[in-house]
Amino acid sequence: MILDYINSKIRILWYTDPSLISREGLILLETEKTFLIRLKGKNKVIRIFKAHGIFEITFKGRSFIIAGYKLVRKPWRRI
């Protein structure tokens, strides 16, 4: 099973750039090291490094909290 987080909701719980903490949005694209996120309530898209934060992701109706460094790999290699 491939875990693909595209179209999942994401909330940034901690990040090396404090201005991004508590931001919420939708994951538009996932690469090996980054997420491309459309911010909630804004017509703005940001790219963030996975390894620099802690996230709450809602995937298939279930929410979980995960340190971004655990997600740093190609999505199709995650099992």
Side-chain angles (χ1 to χ4, degrees), residues 2-5 7-9 15 19 22-23 26-27 33 37 40 42 44 46 50 59 61 69 71 73-75 77 79:
I2 297 173
L3 298 178
D4 180 5
Y5 296 121
N7 290 323
S8 295
K9 293 179 185 176
Y15 202 75
S19 70
S22 297
R23 299 276 182 114
L26 192 67
I27 299 172
K33 296 180 183 179
I37 300 171
K40 182 178 179 180
K42 298 183 180 181
K44 185 174 181 182
I46 60 172
K50 295 175 185 177
F59 177 72
Y69 75 89
L71 298 172
R73 63 178 58 159
K74 296 187 185 300
R77 292 188 173 219
I79 296 178

Side-chain angles (χ1 to χ4, degrees), residues 14-29:
W14 184 87
Y15 202 75
T16 52
D17 177 353
S19 70
L20 295 176
I21 295 172
S22 297
R23 299 276 182 114
E24 297 180 50
L26 192 67
I27 299 172
L28 299 177
L29 179 69

